[in-house]
Amino acid sequence: MAIAERTMKKRKLSGIAAIEIACGLVLIMVISLLAVDITILLLGYDFNDRACRDACKAASKQSSSVAAQTAASSTLKSHKADGNFVTDPILLTGAGDFNYQSFGLTGGSSSVTVTTECKVKTPVPLTFVGNVFGERTNGKDATWTFRKRYTLPIATYNAQLP
């Protein structure tokens, strides 16, 4: 009985179990916050990927560059994000971002290239040794920019066979 009392008294005085629990909870909290950030980043990436693929499919069914660009941008309007963590995807029309190549009767491979962009804001900034990952927009929120590009053959292309 005396040994059991001495062991209980020793545990109560040292408090090692409480320190281990506190350290473990801090570690679990950090891992949980990192998992939330990674989940939101993956959802934003997948959202932009689906929007770009749908926009490129719509553009590939058109017979002119203007109609393809209009179809792609109207398709992107149907993809609505939450607006808080993920922004609506936008169609990029710069050099190489939107490219409609129809070779008509000259042959070649007619294709359309569509590029979309979507910004994702993480609720907890990812920091490591003082470095913040992502872009800083308003001083405290880190945003990540996702761009996706798809190239599909033009579906309305009528080949003239000799």
Side-chain angles (χ1 to χ4, degrees):
M1 189 79 146
I3 297 174
E5 288 178 7
R6 236 185 302 156
T7 309
M8 295 257 306
K9 191 174 185 181
K10 192 175 183 183
R11 279 194 186 151
K12 287 182 182 177
L13 292 177
S14 64
I16 295 295
I19 292 173
E20 288 175 353
I21 290 173
C23 291
L25 288 176
V26 167
L27 184 64
I28 288 173
M29 184 179 69
V30 168
I31 291 172
S32 298
L33 292 175
L34 182 65
V36 167
D37 278 351
I38 291 173
T39 300
I40 290 175
L41 288 172
L42 287 174
L43 288 173
Y45 173 82
D46 184 55
F47 176 72
N48 188 41
D49 181 60
R50 281 183 284 125
C52 186
R53 184 179 56 239
D54 291 346
C56 194
K57 283 181 183 177
S60 70
K61 296 176 183 174
Q62 306 305 316
S63 59
S64 70
S65 177
V66 175
Q69 189 169 351
T70 304
S73 58
S74 66
T75 302
L76 287 179
K77 289 179 184 174
S78 68
H79 289 271
K80 293 289 182 191
D82 68 346
N84 188 20
F85 293 112
V86 181
T87 63
D88 292 339
I90 59 170
L91 179 67
L92 300 179
T93 57
D97 290 330
F98 186 85
N99 194 5
Y100 187 91
Q101 293 182 342
S102 175
F103 293 106
L105 300 176
T106 62
S109 111
S110 298
S111 64
V112 61
T113 300
V114 173
T115 307
T116 59
E117 179 179 281
C118 185
K119 292 189 183 290
V120 178
K121 180 175 72 172
T122 55
V124 181
L126 298 174
T127 60
F128 182 71
V129 193
N131 295 326
V132 177
F133 297 102
E135 305 163 1
R136 298 291 237 171
T137 53
N138 57 6
K140 64 178 183 176
D141 295 328
T143 61
W144 299 72
T145 303
F146 291 113
R147 285 190 185 96
K148 188 66 180 178
R149 177 175 295 153
Y150 271 99
T151 301
L152 291 175
I154 296 174
T156 61
Y157 177 69
N158 294 325
Q160 297 290 329
L161 300 175

